[in-house]
Amino acid sequence: MKKINLLTILVLFLATFNITAQCKARQIVKECKPSIAPYQYDSYALTEINFDASKGHVIEVEFTAFAGQQYKLVFCTSGFSEEVKLNIYDKNQRTKKRNKIYANENGIDKHWSFEPTKAGTYYIDYEIPKSLDGKTKVGCMVMLIGYKE
């Protein structure tokens, strides 16, 4: 009985490791970093995306821009071929009166960027479609952040 439980735990651990191993942030950052130029690279934000076999969903990520600096955001994807759409708002999902600052109707392009026009918090909504092949899977989105004073 103990062998079966130990085997189950080992299989679950390996499955979890395999899912997280897809999001190799350092490698993705290295590949996409040239797209930040002529801005100074600052940091990145990693978002793990779960593709459901039956339905899509929205993931919201915050980005705060400080006064006196210009920012450039570059979105890079890995581990999926589904078309994720991107919308940027001035307020979060819970707010009824929010303004759409950007809508990417054709999905995210690896070298797509955004420069906020004023200081404040921006809300980036990733519209995640259902899985193309009908299987639940995981991919990742890396948002590179660059700045210019």
Side-chain angles (χ1 to χ4, degrees):
M1 185 75 162
K2 287 184 180 181
K3 287 184 181 181
I4 293 174
N5 289 337
L6 195 56
L7 182 61
T8 304
I9 291 170
L10 181 61
V11 169
L12 289 174
F13 173 76
L14 291 175
T16 305
F17 178 77
N18 188 28
I19 288 171
T20 342
Q22 289 184 50
C23 292
K24 297 178 182 173
R26 289 184 186 186
Q27 179 181 346
I28 298 167
V29 169
K30 185 178 178 181
E31 290 172 8
C32 293
K33 205 171 179 181
S35 300
I36 284 289
Y39 289 70
Q40 293 289 328
Y41 170 74
D42 182 42
S43 60
Y44 69 88
L46 173 69
T47 303
E48 191 173 89
I49 299 174
N50 294 306
F51 292 89
D52 190 279
S54 60
K55 63 180 179 170
H57 61 282
V58 175
I59 297 174
E60 187 168 79
V61 178
E62 285 185 29
F63 171 71
T64 302
F66 298 100
Q69 292 184 342
Q70 295 177 332
Y71 292 87
K72 182 174 183 181
L73 307 179
V74 177
F75 298 89
C76 309
T77 61
S78 178
F80 62 90
S81 56
E82 284 77 3
E83 188 175 296
V84 173
K85 292 186 179 172
L86 174 90
N87 295 300
I88 300 176
Y89 296 92
D90 62 347
K91 296 184 175 108
N92 67 32
Q93 291 176 346
R94 295 179 302 270
T95 306
K96 291 182 182 177
K97 293 182 180 180
R98 65 183 191 156
N99 299 311
K100 190 182 285 189
I101 295 168
Y102 181 83
N104 186 348
E105 302 303 324
N106 298 322
I108 294 174
D109 181 24
K110 184 175 181 179
H111 297 105
W112 181 85
S113 63
F114 166 70
E115 294 180 42
T117 56
K118 64 179 183 173
T121 301
Y122 293 88
Y123 299 87
I124 302 163
D125 289 0
Y126 299 136
E127 291 182 20
I128 314 302
K130 67 180 186 176
S131 175
L132 286 176
D133 60 8
K135 297 178 184 176
T136 300
K137 61 183 168 185
V138 177
C140 59
M141 175 80 64
V142 175
M143 176 177 65
L144 299 181
I145 302 168
Y147 69 93
K148 196 190 296 190
E149 291 189 43

